[in-house]
């Protein structure tokens, strides 16, 4: 887990440098700092993941600053020592709220049974999906595209299949509150098509 949060936040030179940046550059800098000592299952530096999520969102035609900032930061609160309060202080309430919608609280104790724990997490994700803002929906789908793509090369078939089922369930929940009038709908649809194709290929054993 990343360290030096408080030290970073009291470093006046660092804060001054952050203030001089555009919000998206500031978000990128914070993401690199927060995930500096983290690695994924495949051994790659963790920062490759939020970077890829941002790339996928922009490739889908969305360059909204709020979305890009929150995409860089989407795992910071869940996976590091940085908090929602830190995000709000540096980026404002709106971006902090988007990140919060993408953050799944980790209970003090998950059930010892792996399958029960996974089901509880799936239900929590489905609950989050129904109340996500358009920005959060776009980011979450891009996040799952990247996770599924990465998992296809590293996970066992049974684990990958279960992960695909989980993704399918919360995407269905997300669709319940999505309409064509939604902000960022075109990017949402483009990314949704991509993730559906990946889920289908996994389910077909491709």
């Amino acid at each position: 887990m990343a360290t030096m949060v408080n030290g970073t936040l009291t470093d006046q030179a660092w804060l001054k440098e952050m203030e001089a940046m555009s919000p998206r550059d500031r978000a990128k800098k914070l993401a690199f700092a927060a995930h500096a000592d983290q690695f994924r299952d495949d051994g790659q530096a963790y920062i490759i993941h939020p970077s890829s999520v941002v790339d996928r969102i922009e490739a889908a035609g969305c360059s909204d600053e709020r979305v890009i900032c929150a995409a860089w930061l989407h795992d910071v609160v869940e996976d590091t020592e940085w908090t929602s309060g830190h995000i709000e202080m540096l980026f404002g309430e709106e971006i902090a709220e988007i990140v919060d919608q993408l953050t799944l609280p980790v209970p003090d104790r998950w059930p010892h049974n792996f399958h029960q724990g996974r089901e509880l997490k799936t239900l929590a994700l489905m609950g989050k999906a129904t109340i996500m803002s358009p920005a959060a929906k776009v980011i979450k789908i891009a996040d799952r595209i990247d996770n599924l793509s990465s998992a296809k090369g590293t996970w066992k078939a049974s684990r990958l299949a279960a992960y695909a089922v989980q993704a399918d369930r919360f995407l269905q929940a997300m669709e319940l509150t999505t309409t064509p009038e939604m902000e960022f709908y075109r990017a949402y649809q483009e990314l949704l098509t991509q993730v559906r194709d990946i889920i289908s290929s996994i389910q077909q054993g491709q």
Side-chain angles (χ1 to χ4, degrees), residues 65-76:
E65 190 166 78
R66 296 163 295 166
V67 179
I68 301 304
C69 287
W72 275 114
L73 303 169
H74 76 274
D75 279 336
V76 165

Side-chain angles (χ1 to χ4, degrees), residues 52-117:
S52 178
V53 170
V54 170
D55 288 345
R56 292 177 188 280
I57 290 170
E58 291 183 325
C62 178
S63 59
D64 184 89
E65 190 166 78
R66 296 163 295 166
V67 179
I68 301 304
C69 287
W72 275 114
L73 303 169
H74 76 274
D75 279 336
V76 165
V77 175
E78 186 170 316
D79 293 339
T80 81
E81 294 176 353
W82 292 81
T83 68
S84 295
H86 296 142
I87 302 301
E88 183 173 350
M89 181 182 74
L90 292 168
F91 298 94
E93 184 178 354
E94 185 173 14
I95 290 175
E97 174 60 25
I98 297 170
V99 174
D100 183 64
Q101 291 171 14
L102 295 162
T103 300
L104 189 65
V106 180
D108 292 334
R109 292 182 297 175
W110 283 105
H112 292 300
N113 183 285
F114 173 78
H115 297 290
Q116 290 179 350

